[in-house]
Amino acid sequence: MDKLQKRYGLLTAICMVVGIVIGSGVFFKAQTILQKTGGNMPLGILAWIIGGVIMLTCLLAFSVMAQKFEKVNGIVDYAEACVGSKYAYYVGWFLTIIYYPCLTSVLSWLSARYTLVFITSIAPDFPLLGLGAAAGAETVLGPECMALAMFYMCCAYAVNALSPKLAGKLQVSTTIIKLIPLFLMAVVGIIVGLANGTLANNFNTLADVGTTSTNPLFASVCATAFAYEGWIIATSINAELKDAKKNLPRALVIGAIIIIATYIFYYVGVAGGATNQELIDSGATVAFINVFGNVLGNILNLFIAISCIGTMNGLMLGCVRGLYSIAVRGRGPAPHVFSQIDKETNMPHNSAIVGLLLCGFWGLYFFLANLAGTWSGPFVFDSSELPIITIYMLYLPIFIMWIKKATDENAMRRYVTPILAICGSLFMIYASIMGHGIACFWYLIVFAAVMAVGFAFSKEKPIN
């Protein structure tokens, strides 16, 4: 079996955690949370806090495991060590076939969407075809948006598959760039909002959104799941991280603290730049323009687009390594093929190609079922949120078996941390059921079908 080189340091790992998580979610889901809560700012902040605490508890549990286990893909390694090789295979299969490509396809669309928002904001007469009469529909559904999304997806694949060192540098640079608009809006937005009274008004006034969710808090926590998710993908570079047993836990904890603080302050800052109704109707762009003016506000929109691209790049990192992490264990389809490492790039190209194809498949589903609405009825679900909820289900046996097996750990590391992580995971699962209703049923059927296909390739085979 070929091995991946140790090429990433602590700074790159922290930037991967922060860069993969912070990106489209905070811009995309902040508007969603306002809609689901009817503009109830305190309830929205509570949702961000709950989502952050759940992420942090799970992250702390895995950071303890990261100090003991190191192989080729963090979460799969932990599943193998705690539960067994068969369970680890199914975790890896789910990540490869559903989780990574679903989120990457959504991120490629969001990257294209915010790029077009920037272009049309500086050039209002820029010709776009669009697919509907609604204002701005062309930047969401138009052929230009979808073509640009595919282009971004292919670029992310090329960077990760052909030049992993360049992918690491891109992650660092885009992480720094994406923090600029977030910090500026957090600081300036709060100051402006306090000075003109907009912030106080938003905390005391609800918005008109028609019908709100029957369970606004649970639905909002589900929305934060997309914004907070992605940190686990950073564990996929476990085998490529220098001194991984020390640096990966540090990167996870430091990255989580940065993320939670950034999200909460940004959410409050945006509320200082526009009314709740404006934010629900037009998104965060109106707040940037109100606070910073047309020119600087539009430049910050460009930074948002770049941040989305950085998040997509980090997610593609998991996609290209997906089948490889299964194949090196002698499982999955043709493990002798997908465990191969290219001698020139030191990357699993066969695994990467399948990862790109899966991104394209789930991108098509997301467009038909979630964006264009041309696919309705059964088997329609939010592919940006429900796969995230499934991962919390798969965490549970890992946490439980850790408690059983980690006899050499102290009480905090063996019992307290994983129990808190179990409670957080169960809350997220319950919130998903309450927030998405029947869509959970259709998604679980698809999930079961994918896992059944995985069963056909679950027998261990020699790879040499």
Side-chain angles (χ1 to χ4, degrees), residues 121-375:
S121 64
I122 62 173
D125 296 329
F126 188 84
L128 293 175
L129 294 178
L131 284 179
E138 61 275 6
T139 62
V140 177
L141 302 174
E144 296 89 354
C145 183
M146 306 317 298
L148 187 57
M150 289 187 289
F151 174 73
Y152 280 155
M153 191 184 297
C154 291
C155 287
Y157 158 78
V159 170
N160 280 275
L162 300 178
S163 181
K165 287 187 177 179
L166 177 60
K169 292 179 180 178
L170 177 64
Q171 200 63 37
V172 173
S173 60
T174 55
T175 297
I176 295 171
I177 290 172
K178 73 178 59 181
L179 290 176
I180 293 174
L182 291 170
F183 285 156
L184 281 175
M185 178 52 74
V187 175
V188 181
I190 290 175
I191 294 173
V192 171
L194 289 173
N196 61 21
T198 301
L199 192 58
N201 184 64
N202 282 343
F203 268 84
N204 295 299
T205 305
L206 299 180
D208 181 14
V209 294
T211 57
T212 58
S213 172
T214 54
N215 296 282
L217 179 60
F218 292 138
S220 298
V221 172
C222 286
T224 68
F226 178 86
Y228 278 120
E229 195 53 36
W231 56 269
I232 196 64
I233 299 171
T235 66
S236 67
I237 63 165
N238 201 23
E240 300 162 80
L241 187 61
K242 298 172 185 176
D243 197 6
K245 290 185 178 180
K246 289 184 178 180
N247 285 335
L248 187 57
R250 292 172 182 170
L252 292 173
V253 174
I254 294 172
I257 294 171
I258 294 172
I259 292 162
I260 296 171
T262 300
Y263 277 10
I264 293 175
F265 282 109
Y266 168 80
Y267 188 71
V268 177
V270 166
T275 66
N276 285 340
Q277 194 66 56
E278 288 176 320
L279 293 171
I280 290 172
D281 294 338
S282 305
T285 300
V286 65
F288 277 95
I289 293 175
N290 287 347
V291 172
F292 298 103
N294 285 326
V295 176
L296 184 56
N298 289 327
I299 292 175
L300 292 175
N301 280 331
L302 176 62
F303 280 34
I304 294 174
I306 293 173
S307 76
C308 293
I309 293 171
T311 304
M312 180 191 60
N313 173 68
L315 288 164
M316 185 62 77
L317 180 147
C319 287
V320 300
R321 292 162 174 78
L323 271 183
Y324 171 79
S325 68
I326 296 173
V328 294
R329 291 172 165 83
R331 300 182 187 273
H336 63 287
V337 174
F338 294 111
S339 63
Q340 294 178 10
I341 299 293
D342 184 86
K343 293 181 180 179
E344 295 295 327
T345 63
N346 191 242
M347 284 299 295
H349 286 315
N350 295 333
S351 171
I353 291 170
V354 175
L356 178 63
L357 292 174
L358 288 168
C359 287
F361 170 80
W362 283 110
L364 177 63
Y365 173 85
F366 181 70
F367 176 77
L368 294 176
N370 298 143
L371 295 179
T374 53
W375 188 354

Side-chain angles (χ1 to χ4, degrees), residues 53-75:
V53 169
I54 291 172
M55 177 193 70
L56 185 59
T57 55
C58 293
L59 185 148
L60 288 172
F62 282 123
S63 70
V64 173
M65 297 179 199
Q67 295 173 8
K68 298 189 68 173
F69 311 127
E70 176 187 351
K71 197 173 180 181
V72 297
N73 187 332
I75 179 63

